[in-house]
Amino acid sequence: MNRYLVPVSVLGTAVGGAVLLRDYVAGGACPSKATLQGKTVIITGANTGIGRETALELARRGGNVILACRDMEKCEAAAREIRGETLNHRVNARHLDLASLKSVREFAKKITEEEEKVHVLINNAAVMRCPHWTTEDGFEMQLGVNHLGHFLLTNLLLDKLKASAPSRIINLSSLAHVAGHIDFDDLNWEKRKYNTKAAYCQSKLAIVLFTRELSRRLQGTGVTVNALHPGVARTELGRHTGMHSSAFSSFTLGPIFWLLVKSPQLAAQTSTYLAVAEDLEGVSGKYFDGLREKAPAPEAEDDEVARRLWAESARLVGLKVS
């Protein structure tokens, strides 16, 4: 036997072990087998990446799944594919552009009028480290889409969620929130030189703070809300970062990325877990990293900052401050 050849059995064992190690590092599969028969779920940004995989998983569990996306061609295609894969015909596409408060209001109005119940709202859509763009309403794009759009959407659907209780709201944040800071003097980067990374971190911190304050306001309603870090996943979200554009990152860092970066399917397990797990009934205002509850950054636990951000967010999107 050639000493440079590795037996297939040994190679298979090594590859299998590496896959298990990668999955352990990235976090495991949702342990709950709960179904969603008769439950309505809304997932923003569900035509690709983590959102699509979450929609696929919840459709497999029997849910009435609404994919809320900006690009309707891609959204319709994803809904069609998910219906085909799961044989669940209750998977539908709806238009929602989180960079437009008008679109958010139109979507919420349609849901309120057409859906009898909404049991799960998963605020999944995001933009990451894009150029200095602004939304239709003049907000810095990352704050506008990642936080303000979802802030308005959630508030507009609260009555429906309360009427459907027990119900759940799930907000996708990121570990990047630990590097964030809420600059109340310049939330929309109108005074400072734009820093796309800092803007992204601020938007993700805003999501955790929003979750904390919303949980306080929802006490006793039967509606829970939690935030999560899904892990770093191989999705279109990082298209503006240039992470895989150089030969160095592809060749040298490739093995590290393979070990630490999740597939969209694996990254969707946390959203799935928070949506269905029976042991999370009544759990609210928490931050999850993978399948484990963890303490967020200190600023994310500052109740005064959370209340102030709520008031400012409400003012910016045109909601009555309460």
Side-chain angles (χ1 to χ4, degrees):
M1 178 179 174
N2 190 319
R3 62 176 175 164
Y4 296 109
L5 295 179
V6 180
V8 172
S9 60
V10 174
L11 182 61
T13 300
V15 171
V19 171
L20 288 173
L21 175 61
R22 181 191 65 185
D23 289 353
Y24 173 78
V25 171
C30 172
S32 173
K33 304 302 180 185
T35 62
L36 287 170
Q37 296 292 340
K39 304 285 188 180
T40 296
V41 181
I42 298 172
I43 308 171
T44 68
N47 62 285
T48 188
I50 296 172
R52 185 193 182 282
E53 292 300 324
T54 304
L56 178 63
E57 179 60 36
L58 299 183
R60 283 195 182 112
R61 294 171 183 254
N64 169 29
V65 182
I66 298 171
L67 283 62
C69 313
R70 179 179 57 84
D71 188 322
M72 280 305 291
E73 184 177 347
K74 292 181 179 179
C75 194
E76 292 280 9
R80 186 167 54 250
E81 291 165 2
I82 292 170
R83 287 194 297 267
E85 287 186 57
T86 63
L87 302 183
N88 179 349
H89 68 277
R90 297 177 303 279
V91 179
N92 296 288
R94 297 277 181 85
H95 180 258
L96 171 64
D97 183 356
L98 288 158
S100 164
L101 297 184
K102 179 184 176 187
S103 176
V104 173
R105 292 182 183 279
E106 289 173 349
F107 174 84
K109 183 175 184 292
K110 192 169 186 180
I111 291 294
T112 300
E113 292 173 348
E114 298 181 3
E115 299 298 328
E116 183 181 352
K117 302 279 187 179
V118 174
H119 302 92
V120 181
L121 171 62
I122 302 179
N123 291 321
N124 166 85
V127 290
M128 177 182 180
R129 295 179 67 176
C130 60
H132 193 187
W133 296 336
T134 56
T135 69
E136 178 180 290
D137 304 280
F139 306 134
E140 186 274 319
M141 184 64 72
Q142 296 181 91
L143 184 75
V145 170
N146 299 353
H147 170 58
L148 292 173
H150 284 128
F151 176 87
L152 177 61
L153 174 65
T154 303
N155 273 280
L156 293 177
L157 294 178
L158 276 184
D159 286 344
K160 182 68 73 173
L161 286 156
K162 290 175 182 177
S164 309
S167 53
R168 302 183 183 190
I169 301 165
I170 297 153
N171 295 328
L172 271 74
S173 180
S174 166
L175 181 61
H177 85 275
V178 303
H181 171 66
I182 304 298
D183 188 337
F184 287 106
D185 292 327
D186 193 19
L187 275 177
N188 282 295
W189 293 85
E190 297 166 321
K191 304 173 184 177
R192 297 167 287 166
K193 180 179 179 181
Y194 188 64
N195 182 322
T196 187
K197 181 179 178 181
Y200 177 73
C201 294
Q202 176 184 245
S203 75
K204 290 300 182 176
L205 173 59
I207 292 169
V208 185
L209 287 162
F210 166 49
T211 300
R212 186 175 183 86
E213 177 62 11
L214 180 58
S215 175
R216 185 185 70 80
R217 291 167 176 256
L218 288 175
Q219 289 177 12
T221 65
V223 183
T224 61
V225 55
N226 292 291
L228 67 95
H229 167 55
V232 180
R234 294 185 294 275
T235 70
E236 295 177 7
L237 182 62
R239 60 187 176 275
H240 298 297
T241 65
M243 184 181 293
H244 306 290
S245 60
S246 70
F248 173 79
S249 62
S250 297
F251 180 76
T252 308
L253 300 179
I256 299 174
F257 287 144
W258 184 86
L259 179 62
L260 298 179
V261 178
K262 298 182 180 183
S263 66
Q265 180 182 15
L266 194 57
Q269 297 305 303
T270 309
S271 297
T272 300
Y273 177 60
L274 293 184
V276 305
E278 302 95 326
D279 58 331
L280 294 182
E281 190 71 42
V283 174
S284 190
K286 305 301 182 183
Y287 172 78
F288 286 78
D289 185 343
L291 304 181
R292 300 180 183 88
E293 180 187 331
K294 289 193 175 179
E299 188 171 344
E301 296 187 299
D302 189 319
D303 289 331
E304 180 55 37
V305 173
R307 283 192 289 269
R308 186 178 176 188
L309 179 63
W310 180 286
E312 183 61 14
S313 299
R315 185 189 68 81
L316 288 169
V317 303
L319 286 177
K320 181 180 179 181
V321 179
S322 60

